[in-house]
Amino acid sequence: MRITDPRGRSLLAAEYVLGTMTGRTRARFELWLRSDPGLRKEVAAWQGRLEPLSGTAAELKPSDRVWRGIAARISAGSAARESWLGSLAFWRGSSFVSAVAAALMFGYIALTPKDHALTPDNAMVVVMADDQSKPAMTVAWTPQQQGKPRLRIRVIGHKQMEPGTSWELWMLPGENQPPKSLGLITTHDTQYVEVPPEMKAKLDQAAGLAMSVEPERGSPTGLPTGPVLYSGNRLEI
Amino acid sequence: MMDSADSLDDLMARCALRDQRAFAELYRRSSGRLLAVAMRIVRRRDGAEDILQESFVNIWNHVTEYSRAKSAPMTWMTAIVRNRALDWARRPKHETSDEDVMDGLIENWEDDTPGPAQRLQQAGEAGQLTDCLRELSGQQRQSIALAYMHGLSHSELADHLGEPLGTIKTWIRRGLEKLRGCLEARNAA
């Protein structure tokens, strides 16, 4: 298929865009497109001319599974994430980190009410989703900052915390290392958690974060024991 | 932080930098329209949603190649969705179409009835296209719109409009040439 006449080329491009060019002709035209920038331009022009016709139908709301499928496939660490969650289940069952060590760690972590804006550029963000992939909580922090890093947590889902339980935030270091507790959090819309300096480097490299439901004073074992409500991968923004 | 005032252009640029939140926002804003595009061509909800999913994975993977100078974001995304939908609709087992659905569609495109052409104008979108479509004959306009929006092939159009294949091909060819002439003249003016 070789047409040099501009009218013929434009018409072929139009029939290709319209979809009335079918079968082997369409396949050959697509091959031709790859090596002919002028023809690609012609196709783009027709796409632009006819595109307004696409806006004439009432919009439809895709079911949630569509975005879930997309999110799972585009997330570069999606395969890795599943393995961290797998290891989370594994570590949850083990209890060789002493409760004393866990209690010491909580001592480092304080909830602070003060507002502390993150610099918008170069931030780490974890969007934590529930099991329906709906964002329920976001955690953001600025890497390499002086002093104690501070996590800014936003709870979007407004889920109720059952009486006698607590929410515990976990860092998932990756590489099959056990989750590390970042302390207990509340149901407040916006809250801050200070991270001990020795955990800073690990946090900046962490695969993600998770939040589990624990007994009132936190996990007695230093590892997640209750259901994981939310989890997400770390993103660099 | 995501701003609802971000244009699709901005979102595309951020997607190219692998910003997944921008991509989620792009999806939120465009998936309703794009699902409707796929649905009109494949006429099955599950098939249309599969196409939407594949298309968005494709959009994410190729957004780095997207160029604003060549096409607007919605045009680019629509082309991806339509291509997949057309491939799907042309697979032999999907070729049967529902007569009742078709009759309804065609009625929408009878000359004087308020149909998609009027909605197009009401949407305030591309008045030029609307005006130029009006300059075509009803048969030309109908064939082009049915092919574009519902993905009908020449032979399907021939079946549904009850005209010989050659006639349909002529309507489409002449209609497209007229449309291009009209749009180019308006852009040059």
Side-chain angles (χ1 to χ4, degrees), chain A residues 82-95:
Chain A
E82 279 174 23
S83 77
W84 306 143
L85 290 180
S87 74
L88 194 67
F90 168 77
W91 289 103
R92 186 186 304 168
S94 70
S95 58

Side-chain angles (χ1 to χ4, degrees), chain B residues 6-146:
Chain B
D6 283 341
S7 66
L8 289 183
D9 284 336
D10 294 340
L11 292 173
M12 296 286 278
R14 292 169 64 179
C15 288
L17 299 170
R18 310 332 268 160
D19 180 341
Q20 296 193 2
R21 286 194 309 159
F23 186 60
E25 178 67 9
L26 185 71
Y27 177 85
R28 196 184 66 73
R29 293 223 215 136
S30 60
S31 56
R33 177 178 172 129
L34 294 174
L35 180 60
V37 167
M39 189 67 187
R40 279 201 295 204
I41 293 175
V42 308
R43 295 189 281 278
R44 272 180 52 182
R45 185 75 186 207
D46 57 346
E49 291 202 334
D50 286 349
I51 285 162
L52 187 69
Q53 187 171 92
E54 291 299 321
S55 299
F56 267 93
V57 170
N58 216 277
I59 287 166
W60 175 256
N61 289 336
H62 293 279
V63 68
T64 49
E65 299 153 30
Y66 166 77
S67 154
R68 180 65 182 90
K70 290 181 188 150
S71 53
M74 197 51 94
T75 301
W76 187 73
M77 292 192 288
T78 301
I80 290 174
V81 170
R82 283 190 74 253
N83 258 339
R84 284 191 174 272
L86 287 170
D87 284 347
W88 197 95
R90 299 278 190 266
R91 288 193 329 228
K93 58 178 176 157
H94 299 122
E95 204 125 36
T96 52
S97 10
D98 180 343
E99 295 274 344
D100 294 336
V101 173
M102 289 316 305
D103 289 346
L105 296 175
I106 289 164
E107 276 163 25
N108 275 344
W109 282 89
E110 295 296 350
D111 266 355
D112 300 320
T113 50
Q118 198 173 68
R119 284 208 297 275
L120 187 64
Q121 200 171 39
Q122 282 162 356
E125 232 180 320
Q128 287 188 344
L129 180 63
T130 316
D131 292 348
C132 288
L133 279 172
R134 285 189 198 287
E135 292 193 5
L136 308 188
S137 75
Q139 295 153 328
Q140 290 169 346
R141 179 164 69 240
Q142 222 174 64
S143 325
I144 288 172
L146 284 173

Side-chain angles (χ1 to χ4, degrees), chain A residues 6-7 10-11 14-23 26 30 40 42 44-71 73-77 120 125 127 140 152 235-237, chain B residues 1 19-21 23-24 27 31-33 35-37 39-40 45-46 49-50 52-54 56-57 60 70 74-75 78-79 82-83 86-87 90 109 116 119-120 125-126 129 133 144 147-149 152-154 157 172-173 176-177 179-180 183-184:
Chain A
R7 252 185 76 204
S10 175
L11 201 55
E15 296 246 15
Y16 171 75
V17 171
L18 205 56
T20 44
M21 180 189 284
T22 57
R26 190 172 183 85
E30 280 176 344
R40 284 203 295 273
E42 199 64 60
W46 274 108
Q47 285 166 344
R49 284 175 193 138
L50 295 173
E51 199 275 333
L53 281 172
S54 296
T56 56
E59 294 196 1
L60 299 170
K61 192 185 177 310
S63 60
D64 292 345
R65 75 162 180 99
V66 179
W67 175 249
R68 273 207 302 280
I70 295 165
R73 286 171 60 188
I74 65 152
S75 168
V125 173
V127 178
R152 188 186 63 189
L235 302 172
E236 201 166 339
I237 303 289
Chain B
M1 294 295 116
D19 180 341
Q20 296 193 2
R21 286 194 309 159
F23 186 60
Y27 177 85
S31 56
R33 177 178 172 129
L35 180 60
V37 167
M39 189 67 187
R40 279 201 295 204
R45 185 75 186 207
D46 57 346
E49 291 202 334
D50 286 349
L52 187 69
Q53 187 171 92
E54 291 299 321
F56 267 93
V57 170
W60 175 256
K70 290 181 188 150
M74 197 51 94
T75 301
T78 301
R82 283 190 74 253
N83 258 339
L86 287 170
D87 284 347
R90 299 278 190 266
W109 282 89
R119 284 208 297 275
L120 187 64
E125 232 180 320
L129 180 63
L133 279 172
I144 288 172
Y148 183 83
M149 300 199 306
L152 299 194
S153 63
H154 283 139
L157 284 168
I172 289 196
R173 204 167 50 237
L176 287 168
E177 286 186 329
L179 195 60
R180 186 180 64 146
L183 288 168
E184 280 180 352

Side-chain angles (χ1 to χ4, degrees), chain A residues 91-157:
Chain A
W91 289 103
R92 186 186 304 168
S94 70
S95 58
F96 50 78
V97 175
S98 74
V100 178
L104 276 176
M105 186 149 41
F106 290 144
Y108 283 112
I109 300 167
L111 294 173
T112 59
K114 233 185 326 176
D115 200 71
H116 179 85
L118 290 162
T119 49
D121 48 352
N122 193 24
M124 300 292 193
V125 173
V126 179
V127 178
M128 294 166 77
D130 61 18
D131 54 0
Q132 304 296 310
S133 287
K134 239 175 73 193
M137 207 165 104
T138 61
V139 181
W141 70 95
T142 309
Q144 289 120 31
Q145 62 189 359
Q146 296 299 309
K148 289 179 188 170
R150 193 204 299 255
L151 308 181
R152 188 186 63 189
I153 300 168
R154 294 193 62 103
V155 180
I156 306 158

